[in-house]
Amino acid sequence: MPKLKKRPIKGKKSKKGLKIFLVLFVLVFLTVLLYQAVSILNKALIESKTVWVSGEMEWGSAGNGPGQFQEPCAVATDSQGNFYVSEFSGHRVQKFDPNGAPLLSIGKQGKDDGEFNQPSGLFVDAEGDLYVCDTFNHRIQEFDKDGNLLKAWSHSFFGPRSIAGNGQGRLYVSDTGNHQIQVFDTDGHFLAQWGGFGTATGKFREPVGLALDPQGNVYVADSDNLRIQKFDPNGKFLAAFRIPTWRGKNDELPYLAFGQGFLYATNASQNAVLQLDPNGKITAIFRRKNDKAGFTGAAGVALDGESHLYVVERGSGKVARFTIPAATAPE
């Protein structure tokens, strides 16, 4: 006689499906609770560390004339107190005197030397030469203080976003699209690189800003890993600091600056500038006084020699300057 096939028992199948549903429901519920808890903790952190500051001066309005901006991105200062601002959509860099009067406009949209395709990060060396991350021409361009082109170079870049020098012949570039840091001498000769895509220490996901401390250590805004990583001058990993108020590359364009013993990082999603000690502890969160919007879409950040902090407000198309409060300065 042919063997009879056993039919599955509907009751057991239904119970198994119910268990899976309940497990998934509990996981979703716990995820929501965790997200809410993190949001509450972050809000408490922001409220406890917020220092309201008054913007002493601000510059800019929409447009392409002198002193106007089209999506300002990064800012840098020189030893004379002048400052430079890159325009991501304006495809140029403007130079201003310490009072904000326009001095120079460098570049226009294009691929030729001296032209830009969405410039971003800036660095001014001790001689007053300006280095510009010509982001989507995938190169670095160097100009003298009068805006004359000195040189341009590339090394398999895919979207360089930030550049800084150590004053001893080394330039560090965050190569965002390749998720790495590249190192050059001041003539543009390649020296080294480190990083690569990943979440492990020493790896990056969308690195943007970088800054150097007086010892030459390199701080990198590892934006999509929601952290800042610290390396020695040769790229040896030293530490990683999680930034709980960052939300990732779609909401942040974090630039860094180091001065007076502190690291400064912009936090666009909070319209704020974070002040951190060298160990990554958030010591203050600067926001505009009497302005609930704070620093609208904070992007580039830079210090001068007089305790002034310059902040690019990408969202409002302006650049603001304020004095770092004495209460947050090192003793």
Side-chain angles (χ1 to χ4, degrees):
M1 292 181 66
K3 292 183 179 180
L4 296 176
K5 293 183 179 180
K6 293 184 178 180
R7 295 181 179 179
I9 300 173
K10 291 184 179 181
K12 288 185 177 180
K13 196 171 184 179
S14 299
K15 287 181 179 179
K16 185 178 180 180
L18 180 60
K19 286 181 180 179
I20 293 173
F21 172 78
L22 289 173
V23 169
L24 291 175
F25 176 81
V26 170
L27 288 173
V28 171
F29 180 72
L30 291 175
T31 300
V32 171
L33 283 182
L34 179 61
Y35 177 81
Q36 290 178 338
V38 169
S39 298
I40 291 170
L41 289 173
N42 285 347
K43 184 177 180 180
L45 171 66
I46 292 168
E47 290 177 351
S48 67
K49 296 293 184 180
T50 292
V51 176
W52 294 97
V53 295
S54 297
E56 300 169 348
M57 299 184 75
E58 69 173 35
W59 303 272
S61 60
N64 56 13
Q68 296 181 317
F69 301 118
Q70 296 183 66
E71 200 176 1
C73 184
V75 59
T77 61
D78 66 17
S79 60
Q80 306 302 310
N82 303 308
F83 64 97
Y84 297 79
V85 180
S86 62
E87 295 177 65
F88 201 68
S89 296
H91 310 286
R92 66 176 177 174
V93 177
Q94 292 192 70
K95 180 180 181 179
F96 302 87
D97 74 10
N99 296 314
L103 298 175
L104 285 174
S105 178
I106 304 170
K108 64 178 181 178
Q109 186 172 16
K111 296 181 179 180
D112 292 338
D113 288 350
E115 298 178 339
F116 299 116
N117 185 5
Q118 298 183 316
S120 53
L122 306 172
F123 168 67
V124 183
D125 67 17
E127 286 71 41
D129 291 340
L130 170 70
Y131 297 81
V132 182
C133 291
D134 187 6
T135 306
F136 290 112
N137 279 327
H138 311 292
R139 65 186 177 185
I140 303 297
Q141 297 200 68
E142 180 187 358
F143 302 84
D144 68 16
K145 63 182 179 181
D146 297 315
N148 299 307
L149 178 70
L150 298 177
K151 67 175 74 75
W153 77 88
S154 181
H155 186 264
S156 303
F157 288 132
F158 184 17
R161 289 278 190 170
S162 194
I163 182 169
N166 66 358
Q168 298 177 3
R170 282 194 168 196
L171 297 168
Y172 297 82
V173 178
S174 63
D175 186 5
T176 304
N178 286 320
H179 313 282
Q180 62 186 203
I181 303 301
Q182 294 199 43
V183 189
F184 302 86
D185 66 18
T186 52
D187 291 321
H189 298 133
F190 175 76
L191 299 176
Q193 69 183 36
W194 71 83
F197 182 81
T199 59
T201 55
K203 299 292 185 180
F204 304 109
R205 291 195 301 161
E206 302 284 332
V208 179
L210 60 80
L212 309 182
D213 67 17
Q215 291 72 44
N217 297 313
V218 184
Y219 297 80
V220 181
D222 187 7
S223 64
D224 219 27
N225 280 326
L226 309 181
R227 65 187 179 186
I228 293 172
Q229 295 197 69
K230 180 180 179 181
F231 303 86
D232 77 5
N234 297 313
K236 179 183 177 182
F237 173 79
L238 298 177
F241 320 131
R242 183 167 178 79
I243 308 300
T245 55
W246 281 357
R247 291 183 181 173
K249 67 180 180 181
N250 292 328
D251 296 295
E252 310 288 348
L253 189 67
Y255 279 87
L256 306 179
F258 198 99
Q260 300 185 337
F262 287 116
L263 179 66
Y264 296 87
T266 51
N267 193 167
S269 65
Q270 302 298 329
N271 294 323
V273 178
L274 311 179
Q275 182 191 66
L276 303 94
D277 69 19
N279 297 314
K281 179 182 177 182
I282 296 176
T283 53
I285 298 176
F286 295 119
R287 303 184 78 188
R288 272 188 187 272
K289 192 174 184 179
N290 300 323
D291 184 351
K292 296 300 182 182
F295 294 103
T296 310
V301 62
L303 291 95
D304 64 13
E306 299 181 1
S307 300
H308 293 134
L309 201 67
Y310 293 77
V311 184
V312 172
E313 296 190 5
R314 197 172 184 182
S316 66
K318 295 182 179 181
V319 177
R321 187 182 80 186
F322 69 93
T323 300
I324 300 169
T328 63
E331 296 180 358

